[in-house]
Amino acid sequence: MNLWGGRFDSLPSDSLFALSRSIHFDWRLARYDIASSLAHLASLVAGKVVLEEDAKIISQALREISQGIASGEIHPGPDDEDVHSALERLLKERVGQVGGSLRAGRSRNDQIVTDLKLFLLVEMREIALKVGSLARTILDRADQCVDLIAPGFTHMQHAQPVSFGQELAKHAFALERDLSRISSWAARTDLSPLGSGALAGSSLVPNPKKAAAMLGFSGVVGNSIDAVSERDFVAEALFILSMISIHLSRIGEEFTLYTSQEFGWVLLADEYSTGSSIMPQKKNPDVAELARGKAGRAIGNLTALLTVLKGLPFSYNRDLQEDKEPIFDSLETLNLLLPAIDGMIGTATFVKEKIEMASSQGFLLATEIADFLAIRGVPFSEGHEIAGKVVKHCETNALELSSLSKTDLAAIDPRLTEELMPLLNVRGAVESRRSSLGTSPASVEKANRMLFAQIEEFEANARHELERLSKVLDL
Ligand code: ARG
């Protein structure tokens, strides 16, 4: 069914219909379209455009349709172009021509943007809950590893010893920023565009605030021409989802390395690894690799929408229909990925002996030598030079820093007194970094505990918003 006719002599060609059809992806907006139709109906009743008794019949039918969709009894038909026309057809099949009165004062232009906002306000909170769960899993694992010393890297080279609990927790810190982004995105998105009509508002909807409140929005947008054309909220959501995907890809890269034979720091549970069809010994980190790979899709989806929006005239243009598949795909991808990464990390075994052993090799403590001299008044650049000489001495003589004797040190520079010797051990170096940014177990534990509380707060807020919306929207 199409929504025009009067001025047309013929139906759209098959090719136009096939090209412009969106029902196969926008049908998922049906429940939000029904909720916004109910809110719009209330506006029309208040404006005396629709009689109370007709409104009762229409809203009863809309609720039945909603239940039919939820139970899987109602599906779109082959002739339905999009979710809006499909629902109008279903409504008219139940109540007759009066079903068409809902179209007064509304256009698909304000309808689609209202639907999409409501859908995303729910879906992004669902994502927030999954991100929160993953962040808490990471922090739980980090808690078990605060006392474990690992080599920390810069340029992928051994740099300084760190608490492995801090190393793991850094991912939760990144995810907390994503939670914060979702929260501020939601606050910005929370304005209703319903009542904008095609572009200029409508005399039949004198007060869009009521419909906005019925839909759970905190207010109404300020400019109808902007409202039907802005997809900032979709682009921003795509960016947030890309950032989450990028964070997951970095976890993926790290776990791929950690599970390699060369590192051997992590063993994945069988449920979260795959085998090879040809090499019986293989245990592959596919979850981690897919996390790395799927970030490309998320970035592609963001780029696709930004490209559609660039240079697009304001008000509604049909190009805007291209906003939906990218965001649906990014959501679907993360809904698959987040629980898998959560499970992979939650069930992984950290091979403590290997991690600890790695931290005792190499020259992770060279900075301690320069710091030791700095506190004794040697300018840092000079101390750095002396520490470099110590490293060189060890390299030429195949020694570790911890095996240097009092005489070895004094021979390199007399200021390297024997008080330096107890500092040349990784645990001492880690434990000495006690500031809020230090890697000492006590500092890491404290920082992680604070983060845990912040994450729980974001989760509680997302849960609260989901409950509120499900009540308001009667979903
Ligand atoms: N399917 C369209 C979209 O996703 C709905 C709005 C269509 N509006 C129009 N005037 N054709 O953007």
Side-chain angles (χ1 to χ4, degrees):
M1 181 192 89
N2 74 45
L3 301 176
W4 56 91
R7 86 177 287 294
F8 283 81
D9 293 327
S10 56
L11 289 171
S13 69
D14 289 348
S15 61
L16 165 59
F17 184 70
L19 173 66
S20 77
R21 205 163 181 254
S22 56
I23 193 83
H24 50 292
F25 55 81
D26 67 16
W27 182 242
R28 76 191 74 196
L29 300 176
R31 48 186 2 201
Y32 303 97
D33 201 73
I34 291 173
S36 75
S37 287
L38 288 168
H40 180 61
L41 184 62
S43 298
L44 294 178
V45 172
K48 305 207 183 323
V49 183
V50 173
L51 299 172
E52 294 258 9
E53 54 265 40
D54 287 342
K56 272 200 190 114
I57 296 168
I58 294 170
S59 66
Q60 174 64 23
L62 284 174
R63 286 178 200 284
E64 280 167 22
I65 294 169
S66 179
Q67 279 153 17
I69 295 170
S71 66
E73 279 157 49
I74 294 180
H75 301 283
D79 296 332
D80 291 322
E81 180 202 331
D82 62 16
V83 62
H84 321 295
S85 54
L87 288 172
E88 186 173 316
R89 172 184 63 76
L90 288 161
L91 182 62
K92 282 185 175 162
E93 281 168 10
R94 279 166 179 71
V95 303
Q97 279 310 319
V98 72
S101 34
L102 262 182
R103 242 198 262 164
R106 182 173 70 166
S107 149
R108 284 187 292 169
N109 301 355
D110 61 345
Q111 208 171 341
I112 190 63
V113 68
T114 307
D115 295 358
L116 194 55
K117 273 196 169 182
L118 291 171
F119 168 83
L120 286 182
L121 284 166
V122 169
E123 291 287 319
M124 291 297 279
R125 263 68 173 252
E126 300 279 5
I127 291 283
L129 291 182
K130 292 194 174 88
V131 170
S133 162
L134 170 60
R136 279 184 295 105
T137 299
I138 293 171
L139 285 178
D140 281 341
R141 302 312 311 267
D143 267 357
Q144 299 158 1
C145 297
V146 277
D147 285 316
L148 179 61
I149 314 273
F153 300 85
T154 63
H155 309 266
M156 280 311 286
Q157 308 288 318
H158 277 202
Q160 289 176 338
V162 293
S163 152
F164 195 62
Q166 186 186 23
E167 193 70 87
L168 284 176
K170 69 189 183 217
H171 295 300
F173 278 82
L175 294 172
E176 190 270 344
R177 289 192 295 277
D178 295 325
L179 291 175
S180 156
R181 271 187 266 274
I182 292 176
S183 165
S184 58
W185 166 88
R188 246 184 327 280
T189 303
D190 193 24
L191 294 176
S192 172
L194 193 60
S196 297
L199 79 163
S202 167
S203 59
L204 304 178
V205 183
N207 181 12
K209 272 197 196 140
K210 259 183 78 177
M214 275 183 77
L215 292 172
F217 285 108
S218 66
V220 178
V221 296
N223 183 313
S224 57
I225 307 174
D226 172 51
V228 294
S229 74
E230 78 96 354
R231 293 296 184 273
D232 301 16
F233 69 99
V234 187
E236 273 192 67
L238 278 166
F239 170 75
I240 295 169
L241 299 177
S242 299
M243 209 61 239
I244 297 170
S245 304
I246 287 169
H247 289 146
L248 299 186
S249 80
R250 296 176 81 173
I251 294 177
E253 165 62 1
E254 206 162 79
F255 274 69
T256 307
L257 273 179
Y258 288 171
T259 53
S260 68
Q261 277 73 27
E262 281 64 31
F263 270 78
W265 289 11
V266 170
L267 296 175
L268 295 181
D270 283 356
E271 306 97 281
Y272 291 97
S273 359
T274 57
S276 152
S277 54
I278 177 167
M279 297 162 286
Q281 86 283 9
K282 288 296 285 293
K283 202 171 166 191
N284 296 330
D286 288 28
V287 174
E289 293 170 279
L290 286 168
R292 208 170 50 188
K294 283 188 187 289
R297 269 169 96 125
I299 298 162
N301 289 334
L302 169 64
T303 312
L305 181 67
L306 292 176
T307 313
V308 169
L309 296 179
K310 187 208 159 290
L312 194 69
F314 265 66
S315 172
Y316 185 82
N317 298 278
R318 192 61 186 275
D319 317 43
L320 289 170
Q321 180 166 301
E322 292 299 311
D323 60 355
K324 278 173 271 317
E325 285 163 292
I327 188 75
F328 294 162
D329 181 70
S330 288
L331 287 166
E332 268 165 30
T333 306
L334 275 183
N335 277 323
L336 288 173
L337 201 51
L338 284 161
I341 290 278
D342 200 336
M344 178 191 80
I345 296 179
T347 55
T349 305
F350 297 106
V351 188
K352 303 201 167 182
E353 311 74 56
K354 284 241 183 177
I355 297 174
E356 215 139 54
M357 213 204 314
S359 74
S360 64
Q361 292 159 355
F363 301 103
L364 286 162
L365 296 169
T367 319
E368 306 312 302
I369 303 175
D371 285 355
F372 170 85
L373 291 168
I375 215 159
R376 283 161 179 76
V378 181
F380 194 82
S381 52
E382 197 187 340
H384 185 281
E385 186 79 23
I386 298 169
K389 279 191 194 145
V390 178
V391 170
K392 199 165 176 197
H393 174 85
C394 288
E395 269 179 343
T396 356
N397 299 294
L399 290 170
E400 291 288 340
L401 289 177
S402 53
S403 49
L404 288 173
S405 70
K406 206 166 84 178
T407 13
D408 291 337
L409 289 170
I412 297 168
D413 192 290
R415 286 168 289 184
L416 297 174
T417 51
E418 65 182 307
E419 292 87 64
L420 172 62
M421 296 179 69
L423 299 180
L424 291 183
N425 100 50
V426 285
R427 188 159 298 278
V430 166
E431 274 169 9
S432 71
R433 290 172 161 78
R434 294 208 189 92
S435 83
S436 63
L437 286 174
T439 194
S440 74
S443 305
V444 171
E445 233 166 47
K446 196 164 164 207
N448 290 0
R449 217 172 314 121
M450 273 161 62
L451 187 74
F452 200 94
Q454 281 162 355
I455 288 164
E456 282 190 320
E457 211 175 304
F458 280 123
E459 287 180 297
N461 188 270
R463 225 171 270 120
H464 174 266
E465 284 301 304
L466 280 171
E467 271 164 31
R468 185 182 69 84
L469 282 174
S470 93
K471 269 194 212 119
V472 168
L473 301 174
D474 201 9
L475 302 173

